[in-house]
Amino acid sequence: MSPRTERTHAAWRAALDELEALVAEADASLPAGDGDPTALPTPARRWTPPVGLGPLPRELATRASSLAERQRGVLARLEAARVAVLQHLGAVRTVEASHEPSRPVYLDATG
């Protein structure tokens, strides 16, 4: 393998390593179903695509394809979590809008 080819492969491996770490972080931030519903998710890190990688080396195509499939799975779970949160917010807003206190909840004692 030529030095240029090795540099290209190394750059692609580093980019795939970074993407795999980000997907793992996003996956770990999603509730497992039995986790603490009040736990705050870890903010996602932004990914900036590297410049000048060139075409994906054939030897890394299977790895890249597997990573893309895993990304799609995590994105689907993120979307499902987003929809669930929107449904919960809608239910909370409905309850809040229909609740009228039978007595004042604030008493102005100074004025």
Side-chain angles (χ1 to χ4, degrees), residues 43-87:
R45 288 188 295 136
R46 286 185 122 346
W47 182 71
T48 305
V51 178
L53 282 180
L56 176 69
R58 183 174 297 142
E59 298 82 8
L60 298 175
T62 301
R63 180 180 174 193
S65 179
S66 296
L67 174 58
E69 185 61 33
R70 186 162 180 217
Q71 284 177 316
R72 284 188 287 275
V74 171
L75 283 172
R77 290 182 55 218
L78 284 167
E79 177 61 16
R82 185 188 73 81
V83 168
V85 166
L86 288 175
Q87 289 172 341

Side-chain angles (χ1 to χ4, degrees), residues 11-35:
W12 268 104
R13 283 191 301 271
L16 292 173
D17 288 346
E18 184 179 6
L19 279 172
E20 286 169 342
L22 289 169
V23 170
E25 288 174 17
D27 192 32
S29 75
L30 289 166
D34 58 348

Side-chain angles (χ1 to χ4, degrees), residues 94-107:
T94 300
V95 170
E96 287 176 355
S98 67
H99 179 69
E100 293 183 29
S102 59
R103 59 181 183 216
V105 292
Y106 175 77
L107 175 63

